[in-house]
Amino acid sequence: MKTIGTETKANEISLKREDYQKELLRKIEGIKEKVREGGGKKAIEKIKAKGKLTARERIAKLIDNPNEFYELSTLAAFGMYEEFGGAPSSGTVYGIGKIHNRLCVIVANDATVKAGAWFPITAKKNLRAQEIAMENRLPIIYLVDSAGVFLPLQDEIFPDKEHFGRIFRNNAKMSSMGIPQIAAIMGPCVAGGAYLPIMSDEALIVEGEGSVFLAGAHLVKAAIGEVIDNESLGGARVQSNISGVTDYIMKNDEECIEQIRNLVSKFGDFPKAGFNRIESKPPKFNSKEIYSLLPEDTIKPYDMYELIARIVDNSEIDEYKAGYGKTVITAYARIDGWAVGIVANQRSVVKTEKGEMQIGGVIYSDSADKATRFIMNCNQKKIPLLFLQDVTGFMVGSKAEHGGIIKDGAKMVNAVANSVVPKITIIVGNSFGAGNYAMCGKAYDPRFIFAYPNAKISVMGGNQASSVLLDIKLKQEEKSGHKFSEEEKQKLLNDILKSYDEKSNPVYASARLWIDEIIDPAKTREWISLCLEVANQNPEIPKFNPGVIQV
């Protein structure tokens, strides 16, 4: 066990870095606050006039502590569907909270956004919520208040494998897995969406507001000529006392929420994974100092050990192969008492034992080899993995190619892909190219994946990519006889770089659910601890079998 980290002394560079990171965080928090307004003041007033609560108010009353709801995918759909007026948070709020001290996934339709209608990204967000419940064996609570599929985009949400129908398939799968599901119908629940609450274990319905039917009154009239109102067709008393579709009639939102809490309070205990945890110890250094460690330009170097020192208990690690493959740090540590295996990109320039320089953020053959072995060790010992990504890619050039960098990279990717212990990924800075894959990007099934406000996610760095894209554009134009002046070239380069940067920032990624949330770096420990507690709820860990390892 060794202690890492040094005291941060305030100077011009550290203060400038801190201001930059805090300003990024302020901007993102400002965007989130605007998104949390949903459909806006008028839409909220309309909900209130009916005596209903908003989606986030319902969640706040449902959980034990309204300040301890860990919302995920807050920025889903941000900047998307503008031609339809936008869809703040994709019209759905979800996250993790405790009900009677039991961790639950909670999903609530936001009726202030297009009456809670489902956009394509809404389906993807709901599927992610169910995936988290399934992977971690968490009970899931649905607060249903939705007009159904957003019809102008029905072709993008209805027929494919990861579309609307997958939701109900997952309902059935979770039921067979023994994962409790409770649904509260607190507004309309129409057409295919009617299956979600009814495929849950128990369904509650709010009298006067809740309704559930395969076809509403207008469609019934158009289809078979029957004239009937929605309440008589599928209201609370009809579906509870006549059809027997729903199980509990509730007077209002508050009574419904209290009944859900009563039901959850009676759940039995379930087995746990048994990941090692002891008494928590705070780091020796303040986590807020992470702001001053991260450079404004993500290409610039910094010491990843200093960041780790502000996350792990007592700022102590057991480092694996400390003198080998130094561009990747591998170490056992504890975070809030939980045992973890850390795989992190070192961003400082390092020297090998032979005195060769290696560039920080780059994965070399030796660091890939070390990381592979460490990942396998963690699987052998049932220790969850934490990936701290700040990677610019694998080493290139003749020396790297002759040394078998592709083979060694494949070995690391294999170990990450076949790892069976829970994986948590945080994109601290850069996440470029195949480095994203080797460091457990979204495609490699991390239980959770987060990003800091300064993160960059793309196939390569902006400067390199814009140069390549400019060269392609110039050659295309030159074929048609157009010659660019130097001024035109620079303007085109700037436009390309701006567009590329916009598509590689974490807000863009969060809108498309490539990450689960943009987090405050100072709360990294809190998020990791939550994720480990969540992952510990699933006792089923398959046998580790990495298959054919390249040697």
Side-chain angles (χ1 to χ4, degrees):
M1 186 78 73
K2 72 175 181 179
T3 302
I4 55 173
T6 55
E7 289 287 348
T8 298
K9 294 182 179 179
N11 56 43
E12 187 177 345
I13 293 173
S14 65
L15 291 173
K16 192 176 177 183
R17 287 179 171 181
E18 182 178 351
D19 287 345
Y20 178 79
Q21 298 299 333
K22 284 183 174 179
E23 181 59 23
L24 281 180
L25 189 62
R26 275 192 291 269
K27 286 179 180 178
I28 287 169
E29 286 302 320
I31 294 170
K32 286 184 179 181
E33 282 303 311
K34 182 66 178 173
V35 163
R36 290 186 186 110
E37 293 174 6
K41 189 176 179 181
K42 287 186 178 178
I44 292 171
E45 287 173 353
K46 191 176 178 182
I47 291 286
K48 295 289 188 182
K50 295 180 179 180
K52 296 168 66 173
L53 300 170
T54 65
R56 287 184 173 82
E57 286 174 339
R58 287 168 174 169
I59 293 170
K61 286 181 176 292
L62 179 61
I63 60 178
D64 297 341
N65 184 343
N67 297 318
E68 291 183 1
F69 178 63
Y70 293 86
E71 186 172 349
L72 299 168
S73 303
T74 310
L75 299 183
F78 183 79
M80 301 169 68
Y81 313 118
E82 296 296 337
E83 67 273 33
F84 301 108
S89 212
S90 78
T92 297
V93 181
Y94 96 92
I96 296 168
K98 287 186 176 180
I99 302 174
H100 286 288
N101 207 36
R102 184 182 296 273
L103 286 163
C104 296
V105 174
I106 302 162
V107 187
N109 298 121
D110 185 350
T112 70
V113 179
K114 303 290 189 298
W118 288 53
F119 287 77
I121 203 74
T122 314
K124 188 176 180 181
K125 184 171 176 176
N126 276 265
L127 287 169
R128 177 61 181 143
Q130 289 184 321
E131 182 180 44
I132 288 171
M134 292 166 81
E135 285 184 332
N136 301 289
R137 301 298 191 272
L138 293 188
I140 185 166
I141 314 297
Y142 306 100
L143 306 180
V144 185
D145 193 345
S146 172
V149 168
F150 187 68
L151 288 177
L153 296 174
Q154 63 86 23
D155 61 313
E156 298 178 39
I157 186 175
F158 171 67
D160 209 350
K161 181 179 178 180
E162 300 298 330
H163 284 180
F164 197 54
R166 190 77 171 182
I167 302 286
F168 320 127
R169 175 264 188 194
N170 285 351
N171 286 139
K173 288 290 185 181
M174 280 191 278
S175 183
S176 73
M177 294 165 69
I179 297 171
Q181 300 175 81
I182 295 175
I185 303 166
M186 309 176 88
C189 185
V190 185
Y195 285 108
L196 186 148
I198 309 312
M199 292 189 74
S200 299
D201 301 333
E202 294 181 276
L204 304 85
I205 187 166
V206 176
E207 192 170 15
E209 289 299 330
S211 58
V212 55
F213 34 64
L214 291 181
H218 292 294
L219 186 55
V220 166
K221 184 179 179 181
I224 63 173
E226 182 183 359
V227 178
I228 190 169
D229 62 79
N230 283 339
E231 188 66 24
S232 302
L233 181 67
R237 294 202 169 273
V238 169
Q239 296 293 26
S240 297
N241 299 344
I242 298 176
S243 69
V245 166
T246 52
D247 307 309
Y248 305 89
I249 300 176
M250 300 287 108
K251 293 178 184 177
N252 51 40
D253 282 7
E254 285 85 354
E255 185 181 69
C256 186
I257 288 164
E258 188 57 36
Q259 181 65 18
I260 296 170
R261 286 185 55 82
N262 288 339
L263 293 172
V264 174
S265 73
K266 297 172 180 66
F267 287 178
D269 286 332
F270 291 88
K272 303 289 189 292
F275 299 125
N276 188 276
R277 191 182 195 188
I278 61 173
E279 184 181 349
S280 175
K281 294 180 181 178
K284 292 184 182 296
F285 310 100
N286 194 324
S287 294
K288 290 183 178 180
E289 292 176 2
I290 294 173
Y291 300 136
S292 60
L293 294 173
L294 301 172
E296 304 97 305
D297 184 348
T298 57
I299 297 301
K300 290 183 178 177
Y302 64 93
D303 189 351
M304 180 59 83
Y305 285 103
E306 295 293 341
L307 190 148
I308 294 171
R310 285 151 181 84
I311 295 174
V312 301
D313 287 14
N314 213 31
S315 300
E316 291 179 334
I317 61 173
D318 291 306
E319 188 167 7
Y320 176 78
K321 291 185 181 289
Y324 178 70
K326 293 180 183 178
T327 63
V328 171
I329 299 167
T330 52
Y332 303 105
R334 290 191 183 275
I335 295 176
D336 196 22
W338 293 102
V340 294
I342 297 173
V343 181
N345 302 109
Q346 171 58 294
R347 286 306 317 280
S348 294
V349 175
V350 298
K351 276 187 179 181
T352 68
E353 191 67 22
K354 292 183 176 181
E356 295 175 353
M357 303 288 284
Q358 291 185 337
I359 304 164
V362 176
I363 300 175
Y364 291 77
S365 282
D366 55 356
S367 47
D369 176 66
K370 176 174 79 169
T372 302
R373 285 283 304 277
F374 182 73
I375 291 165
M376 294 171 77
N377 281 344
C378 287
N379 277 273
Q380 182 87 340
K381 300 170 183 175
K382 204 168 90 169
I383 300 174
L385 283 158
L386 170 65
F387 291 84
L388 298 175
Q389 271 200 26
D390 197 339
V391 58
T392 53
F394 284 87
M395 191 57 192
V396 297
S398 59
K399 184 177 179 181
E401 297 292 356
H402 297 172
I405 186 64
I406 296 175
K407 167 174 61 69
D408 292 318
K411 188 164 39 178
M412 184 175 174
V413 169
N414 183 313
V416 172
N418 285 303
S419 178
V420 295
V421 294
K423 297 169 290 192
I424 300 162
T425 300
I426 298 177
I427 303 172
V428 172
N430 306 300
S431 180
F432 295 159
N436 170 285
Y437 307 153
M439 291 295 295
C440 198
K442 184 65 184 285
Y444 289 79
D445 301 317
R447 293 284 180 99
F448 295 93
I449 179 167
F450 306 112
Y452 283 177
N454 64 311
K456 300 285 184 186
I457 307 162
S458 58
V459 73
M460 64 180 76
N463 290 329
Q464 299 95 317
S466 57
S467 296
V468 172
L469 292 168
L470 177 65
D471 189 47
I472 293 170
K473 182 71 174 175
L474 292 177
K475 286 178 180 177
Q476 287 174 340
E477 293 294 323
E478 284 169 3
K479 284 180 181 178
S480 60
H482 182 194
K483 296 287 184 182
F484 284 87
S485 66
E486 288 303 314
E487 187 178 334
E488 287 176 318
K489 285 181 184 178
Q490 189 59 50
K491 183 181 182 305
L492 185 57
L493 179 64
N494 291 340
D495 289 344
I496 291 170
L497 186 58
K498 181 182 177 184
S499 174
Y500 195 87
D501 281 347
E502 286 173 354
K503 292 179 181 178
S504 63
N505 73 52
V507 173
Y508 189 90
S510 188
R512 288 152 183 81
L513 308 189
W514 301 344
I515 56 175
D516 289 317
E517 192 69 8
I518 303 171
I519 65 170
D520 180 349
K523 295 182 179 178
T524 304
R525 267 175 65 85
E526 184 180 336
W527 277 100
I528 294 170
S529 179
L530 169 76
C531 293
L532 292 169
E533 185 180 1
V534 167
N536 194 46
Q537 305 306 305
N538 183 0
E540 295 182 18
I541 300 176
K543 181 182 177 183
F544 179 56
N545 181 12
V548 177
I549 289 284
Q550 297 293 325
V551 294

